[in-house]
Amino acid sequence: QVQLVESGGGLVQPGGSLRLSCAASGFSFRHYAMAWVRQAPGKGLEWVSGITNGGSSTGYADSVKGRFTISRDNAKNTLWLQMDSLKPEDTAVYYCAKYPDPVWYGRDVEQRGQGTQVTVSS
């Protein structure tokens, strides 16, 4: 079965950086687009970024554009999210998610992991 295991969250000061990782197993990782989504306290799920199966196309929410970078290594079945210039409003549980297709645009994610907490605070 599909397993998505996130790691790399933690407490960071405003302006700092974190790199989230997602280890994928149970499916053919290289055939599917992937995403990062997040949920802040008391709020709904927010799409953060998506990447096509081969990594050639990426997309970002306006709130993170220019600060976050999504990437993947299909040989290692791993997805990353590099987060720079973090702000308190980035505080959330971050989830790695799988799309049902090779592309992310116009699609909804179908499965996600258990999440990793990111807290941005001084």
Side-chain angles (χ1 to χ4, degrees), residues 36-100:
W36 289 96
V37 298
R38 68 185 181 185
Q39 187 164 25
K43 296 189 176 180
L45 210 58
E46 177 190 16
W47 178 83
V48 174
S49 181
I51 186 169
T52 50
N53 64 319
S56 61
S57 175
T58 59
Y60 299 91
D62 287 345
S63 57
V64 307
K65 200 171 293 182
R67 300 188 296 120
F68 289 11
T69 304
I70 191 171
S71 61
R72 65 189 294 164
D73 185 335
N74 287 343
K76 297 181 179 179
N77 286 358
T78 302
L79 178 74
W80 294 282
L81 184 68
Q82 177 67 41
M83 305 187 296
D84 298 318
S85 302
L86 282 160
K87 304 175 181 180
E89 51 263 44
D90 294 318
T91 294
V93 178
Y94 284 72
Y95 301 91
C96 169
K98 173 187 175 292
Y99 285 97

Side-chain angles (χ1 to χ4, degrees), residues 11-22:
L11 173 64
V12 63
Q13 292 187 342
S17 298
L18 280 176
R19 190 190 198 201
L20 305 184
S21 298
C22 171

